[in-house]
Amino acid sequence: MDLKDTFRNLVAKYAKDVSLTENLWRELELQYSAKGRYYHTLEHLQHMLNMLVPVLKDTEDTDSLLFALFYHDFVYIATSGQNEENSAKAATKCLKAIGFPEQKITLCCEHIIATKKHENSGNSDTNLLLDADLSILGSSQEEYDIYCKQIRREYAIYPDVIYKPGRRKVIKHFLEMDYIYKTLHFRQLFESKAKSNLKRELELL
């Protein structure tokens, strides 16, 4: 599934104004290609979409999940602790503009906020989004190394003396979980490789 076509078709289900759809897409493009972004880009969204395609048929509210995918990193500032909350606010504004149902907007925002802590959710769609978001951890060693470099560039404002302890804390948090992935689908695909990649990165830090 192509990222741009998926977004256009999704919006078109609720808004018939083609110009509005195009404006919203351009806004997404600008946000995800902003200066300082190296990992949290449109490529990241496309990767997540690719990961979700096989399980979309099993989702409870596909549209809310997909909108959450598109907007979960809409605001991404390395020095901010409010990226998820601000992304949810941006999503709310955009979704209201297309007439997306209020209840679904709330659900979409709950998905987005959940990406802040990546804790197991009682909502199966949320868990799918979280797992897709972390699927890069279970990628090949080469892809994982590229991901690490991209994350480091996004946090270039911090010197190693600050970045490395912070990164170690993040990695240890994931390794201390019983399972990194909340759903059986993603766990079977990526759990073992993700832990291997994380342990290797921890040793190199």
Side-chain angles (χ1 to χ4, degrees), residues 101-157:
E102 196 70 36
Q103 188 175 355
K104 289 176 177 285
I105 292 177
T106 299
L107 179 58
C108 177
C109 289
E110 288 173 354
H111 292 328
I112 293 171
I113 297 298
T115 64
K116 189 180 186 77
K117 295 184 178 180
H118 277 270
E119 295 175 342
N120 199 8
S121 170
N123 186 295
S124 58
D125 287 357
T126 300
N127 288 333
L128 286 172
L129 179 72
L130 298 179
D131 283 357
D133 196 24
L134 295 182
S135 59
I136 188 65
L137 300 182
S139 60
S140 69
Q141 182 173 317
E142 181 181 6
E143 290 173 312
Y144 187 85
D145 288 345
I146 292 172
Y147 151 75
C148 289
K149 290 175 182 176
Q150 291 170 333
I151 292 293
R152 183 65 186 99
R153 291 183 75 184
E154 287 190 339
Y155 286 85
I157 190 173

Side-chain angles (χ1 to χ4, degrees), residues 3-103:
L3 191 70
K4 186 175 183 179
D5 288 344
T6 299
F7 183 79
R8 282 172 163 172
N9 293 335
L10 191 58
V11 173
K13 292 171 68 174
Y14 302 92
K16 304 308 177 186
D17 185 345
V18 177
S19 63
L20 174 59
T21 301
E22 292 306 306
N23 287 338
L24 290 175
W25 173 254
R26 279 195 293 271
E27 191 175 35
L28 278 174
E29 280 188 313
L30 285 172
Q31 285 293 118
Y32 283 92
S33 60
K35 183 180 179 181
R37 291 204 188 211
Y38 299 96
Y39 174 70
H40 295 92
T41 62
L42 291 176
E43 286 72 22
H44 168 54
L45 299 191
Q46 181 67 67
H47 175 79
M48 286 181 65
L49 181 60
N50 293 345
M51 292 296 103
L52 285 172
V53 166
V55 294
L56 285 179
K57 64 183 184 300
D58 302 319
T59 57
E60 295 179 16
D61 188 334
T62 305
D63 291 357
S64 295
L65 174 61
L66 288 176
F67 274 126
L69 182 157
F70 281 106
Y71 285 98
H72 81 285
D73 285 327
F74 187 84
V75 177
Y76 192 84
I77 302 170
T79 55
S80 174
Q82 297 295 311
N83 287 322
E84 293 79 10
E85 290 84 355
N86 290 331
S87 292
K89 288 177 183 177
T92 298
K93 179 182 177 182
C94 297
L95 295 177
K96 282 185 175 180
I98 66 170
F100 199 55
E102 196 70 36
Q103 188 175 355

